[in-house]
Amino acid sequence: MEITKKFKVNIFIGVLLTILIAGYMLLMDLPALKKIERLKFLRFSLLETIEGKFYDYRFKMRGEVKPPDNIVIAVIDEKTIARLGRWPFRDKLAKLIDKLAEGNAGIIVFDVICSEKDKNDPILAKAIGNAGNVILPVVFNIDKEVTESVKYDNEFLLRSAFISVKNPEMFNKYNPISAYGVLVPVPEIIKEAMSLGHIDMFPDSDGTLRLESLIIEYNGYLYPSITLQTLSAYLGVPFERVVVDATRGVQIGKKYIPTDEFGMSLINYYGKEQTFEYISVSDIVEGNVPSEFFDGKIVLIGGTAIGIQDLRVTPFSAAMAGVEKHASVIASILENKYIRKSSLATNLAILLSSGFIFSFLVTRFRAIGALGVTGMTLLLLAFSGYYAFAYKGSWINLTYPSINMLLIFVSVTAYNYATEERYAKKIRAMFSCYVTKKVVDELIKNPDMAKLGGERREITVLFSDIRGFTAFSEKHAPEEVVSILNEYLGAMTEIVFRWEGTLDKFVGDAIIAFWGAPMKQENHAELAVRCALDMIRKIEELQHNWRSEGKAPLDMGIGINSGEVLVGNIGAEGKKMEYTVIGDHVNLGARIESLTRIYNTHILITEFTMNNIRDRITDNLGHLLVKGLERVTVKGKEMSVQIFEVKSVEPGTESTIIECKKEEVIHLKEK
């Protein structure tokens, strides 16, 4: 009953924790909370922050992926500054565009913004106009408190806004990121651009950039990222046909880019910095790179030199150039290598199923086994999450089910420890007076061995009594009687424990012990007989000591019987309980002990005990004489039973069994 109750409580703990974690997951998905989270560009939930780290680790486990050959990065690096002069060298940028145009570059994308006037602006503007395929960046200001940027509504910015928006009413629930100002290139340059796209980046609270904001709202219009503009131009899809599916995704021709509710898409990074090919701008301007190398390619222009560099923390790297992030976004969409965040329903199903199954599994094991199950389950969950990420492009939330399983393990283990500690105290209180510490410890480790309620079990019971103790008590002072009785009982109890017996009780000078409970002992009869022989050897030793001390020696008789009895914790609940045995075979054992006086012997066993030890007498029990005496019926019994005398013989003498030959039944009416 105790085990069943613990199992039910453990299941309840697991299910309750799973439901609470599921409730927290649902709470974090509420529109109001998600809006706060996204608009502040942070993960205010600790579990979401942890999940972000797990997400990063999945990238590292997957490793680098070979990028497509049609995307290259022209970097304004230290070599460029050293060879072409101080930034901003807009005349050199004009030469760069001319070289790329000569090489028939597919699309030229700037990740550097020329927002301040320069004397060479006309030269750069002319080169941009001549190329006809240059996309320039803008930077939106999303901080309402910052007043440096101004509202800018001219036609060059407006012509880059989305025209087609599907289900716009959905933005009433999840409005995209809003801006309050914008930084644009100088008018002379911007009017020559093929199109404009924002280059704003919004890292999570830990500084890691995981999401690409494909859409930003400004002054009532929706504006695309520079990556979307690049894809539209490269795929030959007129921008007016690029459709925003509010809170779900963006459609570019046949490609559908999934987004979250705020128009943000997960970035599938191809690797650490310089996974994409880097070419120094100076090498292109100076003609060190064949012009045909750029034929049909997307060329991204960005800075890595000190002073103009734009470094970002990514799952792969702590310092990746922002322009390479653009390259990863463009490449993954071109190759249809999207990463989609699993739906709430999917994550909730994984959490609930894993929590319920784990609750059932972990309750079936003790602490070490439960720890192993927890470890294996977490590994299985991690492998499943990695497989879904690396091969299916799906980001499954592993943090909620992992934290849930750890909480279940800790809670169940703590409860079990407290329960087992209480149970251990109960076992100690119950059995410490009956059995050895070794047996108590074993019962605590394996509580199934001890059933505290009554149960039927085959045991062997031993009764011993001091002969003539009443007469001895009358002739000696009470102090002397108590002293010698304590010495005798202490010595005999030690022997009972030595032979792994359970001490039932003392009844005056009588000792009652049994074997086969609470721990099952297949050789219970043999252990009882060995104990009896040892007790006789001890009484002979005590008799010698008492005589040498001038004390009257005591003698004893032992009766042993085997059979099925009721054993358990018996008594008045909450008042007095004791672990004992009751039944006919117990009573028979007591009657047999009383016959030792009639037959003038120390040890008598019944035929039931004899049947248990018969095969072991010649091999295991030493040098014995087991002699059948008579078939008797004792007081209170109708059925007869054979009784055998057991005594030790000299070492070297073979053990002997003498069967009981008398068939007539002797009826004994005294106790």
Side-chain angles (χ1 to χ4, degrees):
M1 187 66 183
E2 185 73 17
I3 303 301
T4 302
K5 177 184 176 183
K6 186 171 72 171
F7 181 81
K8 289 179 179 178
V9 172
N10 287 343
I11 290 290
F12 175 76
I13 290 172
V15 171
L16 178 62
L17 285 172
T18 301
I19 292 173
L20 289 175
I21 295 293
Y24 183 77
M25 179 184 283
L26 288 170
L27 179 66
M28 291 297 102
D29 197 67
L30 289 176
L33 290 179
K34 292 181 74 174
K35 183 175 180 180
I36 293 172
E37 177 183 353
R38 184 51 56 215
L39 294 183
K40 289 189 176 181
F41 313 111
L42 53 82
R43 297 175 185 271
F44 60 87
S45 167
L46 175 61
L47 296 187
E48 292 294 332
T49 301
I50 295 173
E51 178 58 25
K53 296 301 182 183
F54 282 168
Y55 175 74
D56 297 347
Y57 190 68
R58 272 169 265 190
F59 269 113
K60 293 174 183 176
M61 288 181 65
R62 186 204 70 186
E64 295 183 4
V65 176
K66 185 181 182 303
D69 295 329
N70 59 345
I71 300 175
V72 296
I73 300 174
V75 290
I76 305 169
D77 53 8
E78 301 294 344
K79 177 181 177 181
T80 301
I81 299 296
R83 297 181 69 86
L84 301 184
R86 293 179 58 190
W87 176 263
F89 35 63
R90 293 184 186 169
D91 55 333
K92 306 301 190 299
L93 290 178
K95 290 184 179 180
L96 170 65
I97 293 171
D98 291 340
K99 289 287 186 180
L100 295 174
E102 289 175 12
N104 197 29
I107 301 292
I108 303 170
V109 184
F110 271 72
D111 188 42
V112 290
I113 186 166
C114 302
S115 58
E116 297 178 354
K117 290 186 177 182
D118 184 86
K119 62 180 181 179
N120 292 316
D121 285 345
I123 301 174
L124 178 58
K126 183 179 179 181
I128 292 173
N130 290 338
N133 62 350
V134 178
I135 299 175
L136 294 180
V138 297
V139 177
F140 287 104
N141 170 34
I142 60 166
D143 191 346
K144 197 172 184 179
E145 303 301 321
V146 177
T147 57
E148 291 181 4
S149 58
V150 296
K151 293 206 170 186
Y152 186 87
D153 298 324
N154 75 19
E155 58 178 308
F156 303 111
L157 180 62
L158 288 173
R159 71 185 184 187
S160 294
F162 286 104
I163 295 175
S164 301
V165 179
K166 183 179 178 181
N167 302 316
E169 68 279 0
M170 293 299 294
F171 281 136
N172 296 328
K173 187 176 181 181
Y174 298 102
N175 58 296
I177 297 170
S178 296
Y180 302 96
V182 63
L183 184 67
V184 298
V186 295
E188 194 169 0
I189 296 174
I190 196 174
K191 67 181 182 180
E192 299 295 338
M194 178 185 186
S195 60
L196 303 174
H198 78 80
I199 55 173
D200 295 82
M201 301 184 195
F202 306 107
D204 289 324
S205 58
D206 61 357
T208 303
L209 185 63
R210 302 183 180 95
L211 292 160
E212 169 83 342
S213 180
L214 298 180
I215 303 166
I216 287 183
E217 183 273 330
Y218 171 63
N219 209 21
Y221 293 89
L222 298 178
Y223 291 91
S225 65
I226 202 166
T227 51
L228 275 184
Q229 287 285 24
T230 302
L231 287 160
S232 171
Y234 188 75
L235 294 172
V237 178
F239 192 70
E240 59 270 17
R241 294 177 57 188
V242 176
V243 181
V244 174
D245 187 2
T247 73
R248 295 174 183 172
V250 177
Q251 184 85 45
I252 303 179
K254 295 182 179 180
K255 293 187 178 294
Y256 187 87
I257 308 166
T259 68
D260 65 10
E261 296 88 343
F262 305 98
M264 305 189 83
S265 177
L266 288 166
I267 302 170
N268 188 356
Y269 288 98
Y270 277 64
K272 60 183 181 180
E273 62 272 15
Q274 297 190 38
T275 296
F276 287 83
E277 187 171 6
Y278 279 28
I279 301 175
S280 175
V281 167
S282 62
D283 286 335
I284 301 173
V285 172
E286 294 174 352
N288 297 328
V289 181
S291 58
E292 60 270 17
F293 173 80
F294 301 103
D295 186 22
K297 294 182 178 179
I298 298 172
V299 182
L300 299 164
I301 302 169
T304 60
I306 296 174
I308 60 171
Q309 62 187 354
D310 176 28
L311 301 181
R312 300 290 172 169
V313 178
T314 73
F316 274 111
S317 172
M320 175 183 284
V323 66
E324 190 161 2
K325 182 277 296 181
H326 300 325
S328 286
V329 173
I330 295 167
S332 62
I333 295 174
L334 286 176
E335 295 188 325
N336 297 313
K337 292 180 178 179
Y338 305 112
I339 297 177
R340 296 175 174 85
K341 200 167 186 177
S342 295
S343 66
L344 173 65
T346 299
N347 287 330
L348 200 59
I350 292 171
L351 170 64
L352 292 174
S353 59
S354 64
F356 294 157
I357 293 171
F358 180 74
S359 298
F360 178 79
L361 290 176
V362 78
T363 56
R364 302 180 69 85
F365 295 90
R366 297 178 67 84
I368 299 300
L371 181 61
V373 170
T374 303
M376 292 296 294
T377 309
L378 288 174
L379 283 175
L380 178 62
L381 182 66
F383 175 79
S384 301
Y386 168 73
Y387 179 84
F389 174 81
Y391 297 97
K392 302 297 181 181
S394 178
W395 177 7
I396 296 173
N397 192 310
L398 301 181
T399 301
Y400 282 86
S402 298
I403 293 294
N404 182 49
M405 284 190 281
L406 288 174
L407 287 175
I408 292 172
F409 168 72
V410 171
S411 301
V412 166
T413 301
Y415 171 77
N416 288 347
Y417 178 80
T419 303
E420 288 170 7
E421 192 63 26
R422 289 197 305 270
Y423 192 75
K425 288 180 180 178
K426 190 174 182 180
I427 291 290
R428 286 192 182 96
M430 184 63 58
F431 292 106
S432 59
C433 296
Y434 305 136
V435 295
T436 63
K437 181 179 181 299
K438 175 184 175 183
V439 174
V440 172
D441 292 341
E442 190 65 27
L443 290 173
I444 291 171
K445 290 180 185 177
N446 302 283
D448 290 341
M449 293 182 176
K451 188 174 182 180
L452 296 185
E455 66 170 330
R456 292 196 169 274
R457 190 179 292 186
E458 183 176 326
I459 67 159
T460 296
V461 63
L462 178 151
F463 284 81
S464 74
D465 197 9
I466 297 177
R467 293 175 181 173
F469 184 72
T470 302
F472 177 86
S473 300
E474 292 173 351
K475 295 177 182 179
H476 295 82
E479 293 81 6
E480 186 179 353
V481 173
V482 171
S483 175
I484 199 168
L485 183 59
N486 285 343
E487 183 180 3
Y488 163 78
L489 293 176
M492 296 306 150
T493 300
E494 184 179 335
I495 293 171
V496 171
F497 286 168
R498 182 187 306 158
W499 291 104
E500 301 177 5
T502 299
L503 181 64
D504 188 337
K505 61 176 72 72
F506 299 128
V507 182
D509 59 306
I511 299 173
I512 306 173
F514 54 88
W515 284 257
M519 291 174 58
K520 289 186 177 180
Q521 296 163 303
E522 298 298 328
N523 60 338
H524 52 85
E526 177 185 339
L527 290 171
V529 172
R530 285 181 177 274
C531 178
L533 292 167
D534 210 358
M535 292 170 80
I536 297 303
R537 283 191 289 270
K538 187 62 178 179
I539 195 66
E540 291 172 350
E541 179 185 322
L542 289 173
Q543 288 172 344
H544 175 76
N545 293 339
W546 289 330
R547 288 190 183 97
S548 65
E549 295 171 1
K551 298 177 181 178
L554 302 176
D555 202 1
M556 67 185 296
I558 299 173
I560 299 175
N561 182 40
S562 301
E564 187 178 79
V565 302
L566 185 66
V567 57
N569 201 26
I570 298 168
E573 185 73 35
K575 292 182 170 52
K576 181 171 177 60
M577 304 284 288
E578 62 179 18
Y579 191 78
T580 188
V581 290
I582 57 175
D584 286 343
H585 280 284
V586 178
N587 298 333
L588 180 58
R591 297 286 188 263
I592 296 301
E593 184 278 321
S594 67
L595 298 183
T596 59
R597 298 173 182 82
I598 297 174
Y599 290 95
N600 193 28
T601 185
H602 286 110
I603 303 174
L604 285 179
I605 66 174
T606 66
E607 62 182 84
F608 307 116
T609 302
M610 180 62 180
N611 292 337
N612 271 279
I613 66 170
R614 185 181 295 275
D615 295 337
R616 305 180 187 181
I617 290 174
T618 56
D619 298 327
N620 297 342
L621 285 171
H623 309 284
L624 298 180
L625 171 62
V626 182
K627 181 181 178 181
L629 298 179
E630 292 178 309
R631 178 177 290 278
V632 301
T633 59
V634 297
K635 184 178 180 180
K637 298 291 181 183
E638 294 183 0
M639 294 190 64
S640 62
V641 60
Q642 289 184 357
I643 56 173
F644 292 80
E645 177 189 23
V646 179
K647 62 172 62 176
S648 296
V649 295
E650 293 295 325
T653 305
E654 290 187 4
S655 296
T656 305
I657 300 175
I658 301 175
E659 300 293 345
C660 184
K661 295 182 179 180
K662 293 183 180 181
E663 293 298 326
E664 62 179 298
V665 178
I666 306 299
H667 298 278
L668 302 172
K669 299 301 182 183
E670 65 276 0
K671 177 182 174 183

